[in-house]
Structure formats: C-alpha cells, structure tokens
Amino acid sequence: MTHKMLLPITFSNDSLQELENLFRELAEKAVNDLRTKETVKQYFNKKEAAEYIGVSFNTLKRFLIAGLPVVDIDGMQYIRKVDIDNFFEKNII
C-alpha cells in the first residue's frame, strides 16, 4: 500500500512569474527544435548541400575532393547532412 503526502508550497508572485517564464522558454525551445528537425533534409543534391553549408558550388567541389562523402544511386548523387556535419567536425583546426 502506498501513502501519498502533499506538501503545500507557497511561491511569491515573482517566483511564480520566473517559473512561468522558464516553462514558456523550455516549451518554445522544444517546439523550435522539432520544427528545425522536420524542415532540415537528411539528403541533399549538390546544389542544396552547397546552400546548406553556405558556400559556392566550386567550394563544395573542393570539399568533395578533400573527402566529403557522396552517395551515388544509379548516377544520382546525394550528400548526407550527417556526412557534411561530420566532415566539418573532422576538419576543425
């Protein structure tokens, strides 16, 4: 058998406002994280990959020569977001 004990807690108006703001910020961050995750593609064509990175197409070609992996499916080439992110992490100086 379990027993429950309720403890009354009294907060000042300022503390309640701070808690409300904290929960609002956490909720907004969670929603933004979900939106970002849903809108960022996991596979890019080369043009999209260059846009994702924020470089020109020629710079992307240099990254490919430097070892950025490409997925080739029946002649169609894609670059995975995770590979781009890993490539940049691996090349941190």
Side-chain angles (χ1 to χ4, degrees):
M1 184 158 108
T2 59
H3 298 279
K4 293 182 181 180
M5 181 187 311
L6 300 176
L7 298 173
I9 300 175
T10 305
F11 291 102
S12 69
N13 286 339
D14 289 341
S15 295
L16 284 173
Q17 187 64 45
E18 287 183 42
L19 283 171
E20 184 179 320
N21 290 341
L22 174 64
F23 286 122
R24 182 179 296 112
E25 288 174 20
L26 290 172
E28 288 172 357
K29 182 182 180 323
V31 168
N32 287 336
D33 288 350
L34 285 173
R35 284 184 181 149
T36 301
K37 186 175 182 180
E38 290 174 3
T39 58
V40 175
K41 294 171 63 170
Q42 297 303 307
Y43 291 86
F44 302 111
N45 63 33
K46 289 180 180 177
K47 180 182 177 212
E48 292 168 332
E51 289 172 2
Y52 170 72
I53 299 169
V55 299
S56 69
F57 190 78
N58 287 334
T59 300
L60 177 69
K61 286 198 270 186
R62 291 197 335 240
F63 292 162
L64 295 171
I65 291 168
L68 177 60
V70 175
V71 176
D72 190 305
I73 303 171
D74 199 26
M76 295 183 296
Q77 295 188 332
Y78 298 94
I79 302 170
R80 298 185 317 162
K81 178 188 175 302
V82 68
D83 289 335
I84 293 170
D85 296 338
N86 289 340
F87 179 77
F88 274 83
E89 287 295 318
K90 185 174 74 174
N91 286 285
I92 291 176
I93 299 175

